[in-house]
Structures are given as C-alpha cells and as structure tokens.
Amino acid sequence: MQERVELLTTENLKAVHAKLMRTLKVQIVENNVHRGRTNLNSNSNCNNSGAIHYVNAGCTRQTTQKTALVRNNHYNLAFCPVEFVDHQLDYICKMGRQYIARWRNPFATAAWLHVTFTRCHPFDDANGRMARLVSSIPLLRFGFPPLCITPNGRRVYYDSMNIAWEGDYQPMIDCFVNCIRDAMTDVDRVMG
C-alpha cells in the first residue's frame, strides 16, 4: 500500500481488520467484557461465568450496530454514530488518499489519519492498532519506518491524541517524530 494509495479503501481496511482479529475471543461476564487472546481451536478461556464470542472481525460498527462511548475520570468521548460509520470510513479513505498523495509533511498526514480514524472508531475492537497501521502509510511512502509507540512514549501519545482531538495536531506530530526517533535509537542500541 506504500506506493499505491488507491488501496486505502474501506473494503481493504475491513480485510486487514479481519486478519488482525481472526483469533481474538471476548468473554462476556455480567455486563463486563474480559478480553484475552486465545488459540483459534482452544477452549482454555471457557468457564461457566460467561459465553465466549469471537470479535466481529472485519465488520464495522454499522454492521454490528454497537455504539462506542468512553467515559472515565479523564475522558468523555462519543464516537461516530453507528448509522454513519461506513460513510465516515469511506470519507477517511478518500481524504487520506488525497492527503497522502499531495501533502508534503507525512507526519501531519499521519496525525490527521490517526485522529480521524480514532474518532470514527469504526470497529468493535482494535481501533488503536488499526489507526497506527493506517497512520504508517504516509510515513512509509516517505521512507520512514512505521509508527511505533514505545512504552516510554505511551503517555505522551495519549496526551497528544487528546489535544489533537480538540484540533491542535502539532503535539501528535511531535509525538510521532519522537516515537520513531526513540524506536530507531533502540534498534541501533540493540544492533550494536
């Protein structure tokens, strides 16, 4: 997809999500959700406290009709309403293709893609992983490595995402640059 931005489509993102999530099971226990990666053929997470379900891999929330909302001490986020998810994902792909092809700053494009994808929250699970994958496309196109959020950069990553959510993308751009720089420093250190 690095050289062929026309491959950034809703259908391709659904296919990537399906591959990424094909073995994830979710155990539902009295209104709580416990996630755990399991082997496709394993029943090791089965017990009498709740049913095991596979995540709807490759299906958007418009298909599953699940509303996404995050409420805690730090955030109160509502995502794209289910009836508009597929339309919004089409828009993200269309604009993403244009921005990747025309913008000169791949980090600005990556930040826009990341925040817009995260705001849409198109899937039941793995939206952050998918946002980081999609955000890596303009970086790869310009010869940078894919986006890698190091453990030391996680807090800055979340803080910058919250600032970008309000419209100021510069902290997220800086975060992406620093995370890639830190990851490359780690690679150099390991490789000697």
Side-chain angles (χ1 to χ4, degrees), residues 97 163 175:
R97 289 189 302 269
I163 294 167
C175 173

Side-chain angles (χ1 to χ4, degrees), residues 153-171:
R154 220 172 259 150
R155 177 147 177 96
V156 172
Y157 166 69
Y158 287 119
D159 290 346
S160 68
M161 191 167 18
N162 288 322
I163 294 167
W165 196 277
E166 299 299 324
D168 181 2
Y169 289 80
Q170 192 59 52

Side-chain angles (χ1 to χ4, degrees), residues 67-84:
T67 300
L69 183 65
V70 174
R71 285 187 182 148
N72 63 32
N73 294 340
H74 303 287
Y75 314 111
N76 187 12
L77 306 174
F79 301 100
C80 183
V82 294
E83 63 270 17
F84 301 119

